[in-house]
Coordinates of all heavy atoms in Angstrom, one line a residue:
M3 N -10.5 -4.4 -4.7 CA -10.6 -4.5 -3.3 C -12.1 -4.8 -2.9 O -13.0 -4.2 -3.5 CB -10.2 -3.3 -2.6 CG -10.3 -3.3 -1.1 SD -9.7 -1.7 -0.4 CE -10.7 -1.7 1.0
R4 N -12.3 -5.7 -2.0 CA -13.7 -6.0 -1.6 C -13.9 -5.5 -0.1 O -13.2 -5.7 0.7 CB -13.9 -7.4 -1.7 CG -15.4 -7.9 -1.4 CD -15.6 -9.3 -1.6 NE -17.0 -9.6 -1.3 CZ -17.7 -10.4 -1.9 NH1 -17.2 -11.1 -2.9 NH2 -18.9 -10.7 -1.5
V5 N -15.1 -4.9 0.1 CA -15.5 -4.4 1.3 C -16.8 -5.2 1.7 O -17.7 -5.3 1.0 CB -15.7 -2.8 1.4 CG1 -16.3 -2.4 2.7 CG2 -14.5 -2.1 1.0
N6 N -16.8 -5.7 2.9 CA -18.0 -6.3 3.5 C -18.6 -5.6 4.6 O -18.0 -4.9 5.3 CB -17.6 -7.7 4.0 CG -17.1 -8.7 2.9 OD1 -17.5 -8.6 1.8 ND2 -16.4 -9.7 3.3
C7 N -20.0 -5.7 4.6 CA -20.7 -5.0 5.6 C -20.4 -5.5 7.0 O -20.3 -6.7 7.2 CB -22.2 -5.2 5.4 SG -23.2 -4.5 6.6
P8 N -20.1 -4.6 8.0 CA -19.7 -5.1 9.3 C -20.9 -5.7 10.1 O -20.7 -6.4 11.0 CB -19.1 -3.9 10.0 CG -19.8 -2.7 9.2 CD -20.0 -3.1 7.9
N9 N -22.1 -5.4 9.6 CA -23.3 -5.9 10.3 C -23.7 -7.3 9.8 O -23.8 -8.2 10.5 CB -24.5 -5.0 10.0 CG -25.8 -5.4 10.7 OD1 -25.8 -5.6 11.9 ND2 -26.8 -5.7 9.9
C10 N -23.8 -7.5 8.4 CA -24.3 -8.8 7.9 C -23.3 -9.5 7.1 O -23.6 -10.6 6.5 CB -25.6 -8.5 7.1 SG -25.3 -7.6 5.5
E11 N -22.1 -8.9 6.9 CA -21.1 -9.6 6.1 C -21.3 -9.6 4.6 O -20.6 -10.3 3.8 CB -20.7 -10.9 6.6 CG -20.0 -10.9 8.0 CD -18.7 -10.2 8.1 OE1 -17.9 -10.3 7.1 OE2 -18.4 -9.5 9.0
S12 N -22.3 -9.0 4.1 CA -22.7 -9.0 2.6 C -21.7 -8.0 2.0 O -21.0 -7.2 2.6 CB -24.1 -8.6 2.4 OG -25.0 -9.4 2.9
K13 N -21.6 -8.1 0.6 CA -20.7 -7.3 -0.2 C -21.3 -5.9 0.0 O -22.5 -5.6 0.1 CB -20.8 -7.7 -1.6 CG -20.0 -6.9 -2.5 CD -20.2 -7.4 -3.9 CE -19.4 -6.5 -4.9 NZ -19.6 -6.9 -6.3
A14 N -20.4 -5.0 0.1 CA -20.7 -3.5 0.1 C -20.1 -2.8 -1.0 O -19.1 -3.2 -1.7 CB -20.2 -2.9 1.5
I15 N -20.7 -1.7 -1.4 CA -20.3 -0.9 -2.5 C -19.6 0.4 -2.0 O -20.2 1.1 -1.1 CB -21.4 -0.5 -3.4 CG1 -22.0 -1.7 -4.1 CG2 -21.0 0.5 -4.5 CD1 -23.3 -1.5 -4.9
I16 N -18.5 0.8 -2.5 CA -17.8 2.0 -2.0 C -18.4 3.1 -2.8 O -18.4 3.1 -4.1 CB -16.3 1.9 -2.3 CG1 -15.7 0.8 -1.5 CG2 -15.6 3.3 -1.9 CD1 -14.2 0.5 -1.9
T17 N -19.0 4.1 -2.1 CA -19.8 5.1 -2.8 C -18.9 6.5 -3.0 O -19.1 7.2 -3.9 CB -21.1 5.5 -2.1 OG1 -20.8 5.8 -0.8 CG2 -22.0 4.3 -2.2
S18 N -18.0 6.6 -2.1 CA -17.1 7.7 -2.2 C -15.8 7.5 -1.3 O -15.8 6.6 -0.5 CB -17.7 9.1 -1.8 OG -18.1 9.1 -0.5
R19 N -14.8 8.3 -1.5 CA -13.6 8.2 -0.7 C -13.2 9.6 -0.3 O -13.3 10.6 -1.1 CB -12.5 7.6 -1.6 CG -11.2 7.6 -1.1 CD -10.2 7.1 -2.2 NE -8.8 7.2 -1.7 CZ -8.0 6.3 -1.8 NH1 -8.3 5.0 -2.3 NH2 -6.8 6.4 -1.3
E20 N -12.7 9.7 0.9 CA -12.2 11.0 1.4 C -10.8 10.8 2.0 O -10.6 10.1 2.9 CB -13.0 11.5 2.5 CG -12.7 12.9 3.0 CD -13.7 13.4 4.0 OE1 -14.9 13.4 3.7 OE2 -13.3 13.7 5.1
N21 N -9.8 11.3 1.3 CA -8.3 11.2 1.8 C -8.2 12.0 3.0 O -8.5 13.1 3.1 CB -7.4 11.6 0.7 CG -7.4 10.7 -0.6 OD1 -7.7 9.5 -0.4 ND2 -7.2 11.3 -1.7
Q22 N -7.6 11.3 4.0 CA -7.3 12.0 5.3 C -5.9 12.4 5.4 O -5.6 13.5 5.9 CB -7.6 11.0 6.5 CG -9.0 10.5 6.5 CD -10.0 11.6 6.7 OE1 -9.8 12.6 7.5 NE2 -11.1 11.6 5.9
S23 N -5.0 11.7 4.7 CA -3.6 12.1 4.7 C -2.9 11.2 3.5 O -3.7 10.3 3.0 CB -2.9 11.9 6.0 OG -2.9 10.6 6.4
A24 N -1.7 11.3 3.4 CA -1.0 10.5 2.4 C -1.1 9.0 2.9 O -0.6 8.7 4.0 CB 0.4 10.9 2.2
G25 N -1.8 8.2 2.1 CA -1.8 6.7 2.5 C -2.9 6.3 3.4 O -3.0 5.2 3.8
V26 N -3.8 7.3 3.8 CA -5.0 7.0 4.7 C -6.2 7.6 4.1 O -6.2 8.8 3.7 CB -4.8 7.5 6.1 CG1 -6.0 7.2 7.0 CG2 -3.5 7.0 6.8
A27 N -7.3 6.8 3.9 CA -8.5 7.4 3.3 C -9.7 6.7 4.0 O -9.7 5.6 4.5 CB -8.6 7.1 1.9
D28 N -10.8 7.5 4.2 CA -12.1 7.0 4.6 C -12.9 6.6 3.4 O -13.0 7.3 2.4 CB -12.8 8.0 5.4 CG -12.3 8.3 6.8 OD1 -11.6 7.4 7.3 OD2 -12.6 9.4 7.4
L29 N -13.5 5.4 3.4 CA -14.3 4.8 2.4 C -15.7 4.9 2.9 O -16.0 4.3 3.9 CB -13.9 3.4 2.0 CG -12.5 3.2 1.6 CD1 -12.2 1.7 1.2 CD2 -12.1 4.1 0.4
Y30 N -16.6 5.5 2.2 CA -18.0 5.6 2.5 C -18.7 4.5 1.7 O -18.5 4.4 0.5 CB -18.7 6.9 2.2 CG -18.1 8.0 3.0 CD1 -16.8 8.5 2.8 CD2 -18.9 8.5 4.1 CE1 -16.4 9.5 3.7 CE2 -18.4 9.5 5.0 CZ -17.2 10.0 4.7 OH -16.7 10.9 5.5
C31 N -19.4 3.5 2.4 CA -19.9 2.3 1.8 C -21.4 2.1 2.1 O -21.9 2.6 3.0 CB -19.1 1.1 2.4 SG -17.3 1.2 2.2
T32 N -22.0 1.3 1.2 CA -23.4 0.9 1.3 C -23.5 -0.6 1.2 O -23.0 -1.1 0.2 CB -24.2 1.6 0.2 OG1 -24.1 3.0 0.4 CG2 -25.7 1.3 0.3
C33 N -24.2 -1.2 2.1 CA -24.4 -2.7 2.0 C -25.3 -3.0 0.9 O -26.3 -2.2 0.6 CB -25.0 -3.2 3.4 SG -25.4 -4.9 3.4
T34 N -25.1 -4.1 0.1 CA -25.9 -4.5 -1.0 C -27.1 -5.3 -0.5 O -27.9 -5.6 -1.4 CB -25.1 -5.2 -2.1 OG1 -24.5 -6.4 -1.5 CG2 -24.0 -4.3 -2.7
N35 N -27.1 -5.8 0.6 CA -28.2 -6.6 1.2 C -29.3 -5.7 1.7 O -29.5 -5.5 2.9 CB -27.7 -7.5 2.3 CG -28.7 -8.3 2.9 OD1 -29.9 -8.4 2.4 ND2 -28.4 -9.0 4.0
T36 N -30.0 -5.0 0.7 CA -31.0 -4.0 1.0 C -32.2 -4.5 1.7 O -32.9 -3.7 2.5 CB -31.4 -3.1 -0.2 OG1 -31.8 -4.1 -1.3 CG2 -30.1 -2.4 -0.8
K37 N -32.6 -5.7 1.5 CA -33.8 -6.3 2.1 C -33.7 -6.5 3.6 O -34.6 -6.2 4.3 CB -34.2 -7.7 1.5 CG -34.8 -7.5 0.1 CD -35.1 -8.8 -0.5 CE -35.7 -8.7 -1.9 NZ -36.2 -9.9 -2.5
E38 N -32.5 -7.0 4.0 CA -32.3 -7.4 5.4 C -31.5 -6.4 6.2 O -31.4 -6.4 7.4 CB -31.8 -8.8 5.5 CG -32.8 -9.8 5.0 CD -32.2 -11.2 5.0 OE1 -31.3 -11.4 5.8 OE2 -32.7 -12.0 4.3
C39 N -30.6 -5.6 5.5 CA -29.7 -4.7 6.2 C -29.7 -3.3 5.7 O -30.2 -2.4 6.3 CB -28.2 -5.2 6.0 SG -27.0 -4.4 7.0
G40 N -29.1 -3.1 4.5 CA -29.0 -1.7 3.9 C -28.2 -0.7 4.6 O -28.4 0.5 4.5
A41 N -27.3 -1.1 5.5 CA -26.5 -0.3 6.3 C -25.5 0.6 5.4 O -25.2 0.2 4.4 CB -25.7 -1.0 7.3
T42 N -25.3 1.8 5.9 CA -24.3 2.7 5.3 C -23.2 2.8 6.4 O -23.5 3.0 7.5 CB -24.8 4.0 4.8 OG1 -25.5 4.7 5.8 CG2 -25.8 3.8 3.6
F43 N -21.9 2.8 6.0 CA -21.0 2.9 7.0 C -19.7 3.5 6.4 O -19.5 3.6 5.2 CB -20.6 1.6 7.6 CG -20.3 0.5 6.6 CD1 -18.9 0.3 6.4 CD2 -21.2 -0.2 5.9 CE1 -18.6 -0.7 5.4 CE2 -20.9 -1.2 5.1 CZ -19.6 -1.4 4.8
V44 N -18.8 3.9 7.3 CA -17.4 4.5 6.9 C -16.4 3.5 7.4 O -16.4 3.1 8.6 CB -17.2 5.9 7.4 CG1 -15.9 6.4 6.9 CG2 -18.3 6.8 7.0
T45 N -15.5 3.2 6.5 CA -14.4 2.4 7.0 C -13.1 3.0 6.5 O -13.1 3.8 5.6 CB -14.4 0.9 6.3 OG1 -13.4 0.1 7.0 CG2 -14.2 0.9 4.9
T46 N -11.9 2.8 7.2 CA -10.7 3.5 6.9 C -9.7 2.4 6.3 O -9.6 1.3 6.8 CB -10.1 4.0 8.2 OG1 -11.0 4.9 8.8 CG2 -8.8 4.8 7.9
I47 N -9.0 2.9 5.3 CA -8.1 2.1 4.6 C -6.7 2.9 4.8 O -6.7 4.1 4.6 CB -8.4 1.8 3.2 CG1 -7.4 0.9 2.5 CG2 -8.5 3.1 2.4 CD1 -7.8 0.4 1.2
A48 N -5.7 2.1 5.1 CA -4.4 2.8 5.2 C -3.2 1.9 4.6 O -3.3 0.7 4.6 CB -4.1 2.9 6.7
F49 N -2.2 2.6 4.0 CA -1.1 2.0 3.6 C -0.3 1.6 4.8 O -0.1 2.3 5.7 CB -0.2 2.9 2.7 CG 1.1 2.4 2.3 CD1 1.2 1.5 1.2 CD2 2.2 2.8 3.0 CE1 2.4 0.9 0.9 CE2 3.5 2.2 2.7 CZ 3.6 1.4 1.6
K50 N 0.3 0.4 4.8 CA 1.0 -0.1 5.9 C 2.5 -0.2 5.6 O 3.3 0.4 6.2 CB 0.5 -1.5 6.3 CG 1.2 -2.0 7.6 CD 0.5 -3.2 8.2 CE 1.3 -3.7 9.4 NZ 0.7 -5.0 9.9
H51 N 2.9 -1.0 4.7 CA 4.3 -1.1 4.3 C 4.4 -2.0 2.9 O 3.5 -2.6 2.5 CB 5.1 -1.9 5.4 CG 4.7 -3.2 5.6 ND1 3.8 -3.6 6.6 CD2 5.1 -4.4 5.0 CE1 3.6 -4.8 6.6 NE2 4.4 -5.5 5.6
Y52 N 5.6 -1.8 2.3 CA 5.8 -2.5 1.1 C 6.3 -3.9 1.4 O 7.0 -4.2 2.4 CB 7.0 -1.9 0.3 CG 6.7 -0.5 -0.3 CD1 7.2 0.6 0.1 CD2 5.9 -0.4 -1.5 CE1 7.0 1.9 -0.5 CE2 5.5 0.7 -2.0 CZ 6.1 1.9 -1.6 OH 5.8 3.1 -2.2
L53 N 5.9 -4.8 0.6 CA 6.4 -6.2 0.5 C 7.6 -6.3 -0.3 O 8.6 -7.0 -0.1 CB 5.3 -7.2 0.1 CG 4.1 -7.3 1.0 CD1 3.1 -8.2 0.4 CD2 4.5 -7.8 2.4
N54 N 7.6 -5.4 -1.4 CA 8.6 -5.3 -2.3 C 8.7 -3.9 -2.7 O 7.8 -3.4 -3.4 CB 8.4 -6.2 -3.5 CG 9.5 -6.3 -4.5 OD1 10.7 -6.0 -4.1 ND2 9.2 -6.4 -5.8
P55 N 9.7 -3.1 -2.3 CA 9.8 -1.7 -2.6 C 9.9 -1.4 -4.1 O 10.3 -2.3 -4.9 CB 11.1 -1.2 -1.9 CG 11.9 -2.4 -1.6 CD 10.9 -3.6 -1.6
P56 N 9.4 -0.2 -4.6 CA 9.6 0.1 -6.0 C 11.1 0.0 -6.5 O 12.0 0.2 -5.7 CB 9.2 1.6 -6.0 CG 8.4 1.8 -4.7 CD 8.9 0.8 -3.7
S57 N 11.3 -0.6 -7.7 CA 12.6 -0.8 -8.2 C 13.4 0.4 -8.2 O 14.6 0.3 -8.0 CB 12.5 -1.4 -9.5 OG 11.8 -0.7 -10.4
S58 N 12.8 1.6 -8.5 CA 13.7 2.8 -8.5 C 14.3 3.0 -7.1 O 15.4 3.6 -7.0 CB 12.8 4.0 -9.0 OG 11.7 4.2 -8.1
D59 N 13.6 2.8 -6.0 CA 14.0 3.0 -4.7 C 15.2 2.0 -4.4 O 16.3 2.3 -3.8 CB 13.0 2.8 -3.6 CG 11.9 3.9 -3.6 OD1 12.2 4.9 -4.4 OD2 11.0 3.8 -2.9
T60 N 15.0 0.8 -4.8 CA 16.1 -0.3 -4.5 C 17.3 0.1 -5.4 O 18.4 0.0 -4.7 CB 15.5 -1.6 -5.0 OG1 14.3 -1.9 -4.3 CG2 16.5 -2.8 -4.7
A61 N 17.2 0.4 -6.6 CA 18.3 0.8 -7.3 C 19.1 2.0 -6.8 O 20.3 2.0 -6.8 CB 18.0 1.1 -8.8
R62 N 18.4 3.0 -6.3 CA 19.0 4.2 -5.8 C 19.7 3.9 -4.5 O 20.9 4.3 -4.2 CB 17.9 5.2 -5.5 CG 18.4 6.6 -5.1 CD 17.3 7.7 -5.0 NE 15.9 7.3 -4.8 CZ 15.1 7.2 -5.8 NH1 15.3 7.6 -7.0 NH2 13.8 6.8 -5.5
L63 N 19.1 3.0 -3.6 CA 19.8 2.6 -2.4 C 21.0 1.8 -2.7 O 22.1 2.1 -2.0 CB 18.8 1.8 -1.5 CG 19.3 1.1 -0.3 CD1 19.8 2.3 0.7 CD2 18.3 0.3 0.5
A64 N 20.9 0.9 -3.6 CA 22.1 0.0 -3.9 C 23.2 1.0 -4.5 O 24.4 0.8 -4.1 CB 21.8 -1.0 -5.0
A65 N 22.9 1.9 -5.4 CA 23.9 2.8 -5.9 C 24.7 3.7 -4.8 O 25.8 3.8 -4.7 CB 23.4 3.7 -7.0
S66 N 23.9 4.1 -3.8 CA 24.3 4.9 -2.8 C 25.3 4.0 -1.9 O 26.3 4.5 -1.5 CB 23.2 5.4 -1.9 OG 23.6 6.0 -0.7
L67 N 24.9 2.8 -1.6 CA 25.8 1.9 -0.8 C 27.1 1.6 -1.5 O 28.1 1.6 -0.9 CB 25.0 0.7 -0.5 CG 23.9 0.8 0.5 CD1 23.0 -0.5 0.7 CD2 24.3 1.3 1.9
I68 N 27.0 1.3 -2.8 CA 28.2 1.0 -3.6 C 29.1 2.2 -3.6 O 30.4 2.0 -3.5 CB 27.8 0.5 -5.0 CG1 27.1 -0.9 -4.9 CG2 29.0 0.5 -5.9 CD1 26.5 -1.3 -6.2
R69 N 28.6 3.4 -3.8 CA 29.5 4.6 -3.8 C 30.3 4.8 -2.5 O 31.4 5.4 -2.5 CB 28.7 5.9 -4.1 CG 28.4 6.1 -5.6 CD 27.9 7.4 -5.8 NE 26.7 7.2 -6.6 CZ 25.4 7.3 -6.1 NH1 25.1 7.6 -4.9 NH2 24.4 7.1 -7.0
Q70 N 29.7 4.2 -1.4 CA 30.4 4.4 -0.1 C 31.6 3.4 0.1 O 32.4 3.5 1.1 CB 29.4 4.3 1.0 CG 28.4 5.3 1.1 CD 27.4 5.2 2.2 OE1 27.5 4.4 3.1 NE2 26.2 5.9 2.0
L71 N 31.6 2.4 -0.8 CA 32.7 1.4 -0.7 C 34.0 1.9 -1.2 O 33.9 2.8 -2.2 CB 32.3 0.1 -1.4 CG 31.1 -0.8 -0.8 CD1 30.7 -1.8 -1.9 CD2 31.5 -1.3 0.5
P72 N 35.1 1.4 -0.8 CA 36.4 1.7 -1.5 C 36.4 1.2 -2.9 O 35.7 0.3 -3.2 CB 37.4 1.0 -0.6 CG 36.8 0.5 0.6 CD 35.3 0.5 0.3
K73 N 37.1 1.9 -3.8 CA 37.2 1.6 -5.2 C 37.5 0.1 -5.5 O 36.8 -0.4 -6.3 CB 38.3 2.5 -6.0 CG 37.8 3.9 -6.3 CD 36.7 3.8 -7.3 CE 36.4 5.2 -7.7 NZ 35.2 5.4 -8.5
N74 N 38.4 -0.4 -4.7 CA 38.7 -1.9 -5.0 C 37.5 -2.8 -4.7 O 37.3 -3.7 -5.5 CB 40.0 -2.4 -4.2 CG 39.8 -2.3 -2.7 OD1 39.0 -1.4 -2.2 ND2 40.4 -3.2 -2.0
K75 N 36.7 -2.5 -3.7 CA 35.5 -3.3 -3.4 C 34.4 -2.9 -4.5 O 33.7 -3.9 -4.8 CB 35.0 -2.9 -2.0 CG 35.8 -3.3 -0.9 CD 35.8 -4.8 -0.8 CE 36.7 -5.3 0.4 NZ 36.8 -6.7 0.4
Q76 N 34.3 -1.8 -4.9 CA 33.4 -1.5 -6.0 C 33.7 -2.3 -7.3 O 32.8 -2.9 -7.9 CB 33.4 0.0 -6.3 CG 32.9 0.9 -5.3 CD 32.9 2.3 -5.7 OE1 33.0 2.7 -6.9 NE2 32.9 3.3 -4.7
L77 N 34.9 -2.4 -7.7 CA 35.3 -3.1 -8.8 C 35.2 -4.6 -8.6 O 34.8 -5.3 -9.5 CB 36.8 -2.8 -9.1 CG 37.1 -1.3 -9.5 CD1 38.6 -1.1 -9.8 CD2 36.4 -1.1 -10.9
E78 N 35.4 -5.0 -7.4 CA 35.2 -6.5 -7.0 C 33.7 -6.9 -7.2 O 33.4 -7.9 -7.8 CB 35.6 -6.7 -5.6 CG 35.6 -8.2 -5.1 CD 36.1 -8.3 -3.7 OE1 37.1 -7.6 -3.4 OE2 35.4 -9.0 -2.9
L79 N 32.8 -6.0 -6.8 CA 31.5 -6.3 -7.0 C 31.0 -6.2 -8.4 O 30.1 -7.0 -8.8 CB 30.6 -5.2 -6.3 CG 30.4 -5.3 -4.8 CD1 29.8 -4.0 -4.2 CD2 29.7 -6.5 -4.4
L80 N 31.7 -5.5 -9.2 CA 31.4 -5.4 -10.7 C 32.1 -6.5 -11.5 O 32.0 -6.6 -12.6 CB 31.7 -4.1 -11.3 CG 30.8 -3.0 -10.7 CD1 31.4 -1.6 -11.2 CD2 29.4 -3.1 -11.1
N81 N 33.0 -7.4 -10.8 CA 33.7 -8.4 -11.4 C 34.7 -7.8 -12.5 O 34.9 -8.4 -13.5 CB 32.9 -9.5 -12.0 CG 32.1 -10.3 -10.9 OD1 32.7 -10.6 -9.8 ND2 30.9 -10.7 -11.2
I82 N 35.3 -6.7 -12.1 CA 36.2 -6.1 -13.1 C 37.7 -6.4 -12.5 O 38.0 -6.3 -11.5 CB 36.0 -4.6 -13.2 CG1 34.6 -4.4 -13.9 CG2 37.1 -4.0 -14.1 CD1 34.2 -3.0 -14.0

């Protein structure tokens, strides 16, 4: 992950991280453009959503949905 300085847009270094909650953290950063900027700042990073859920979640959901079907539909899905 790359963080840029909000002042000069130069690359910044993450110096520490403080978790605020599950999926949300404050990143403490320092600008690498020390001659002209040298700003230190805090930015927040947060988990938003999955583009592709973990396979274990997908398999568990599929199994749950299949169990709710009548037996003949379950067998039909399995081509038996």
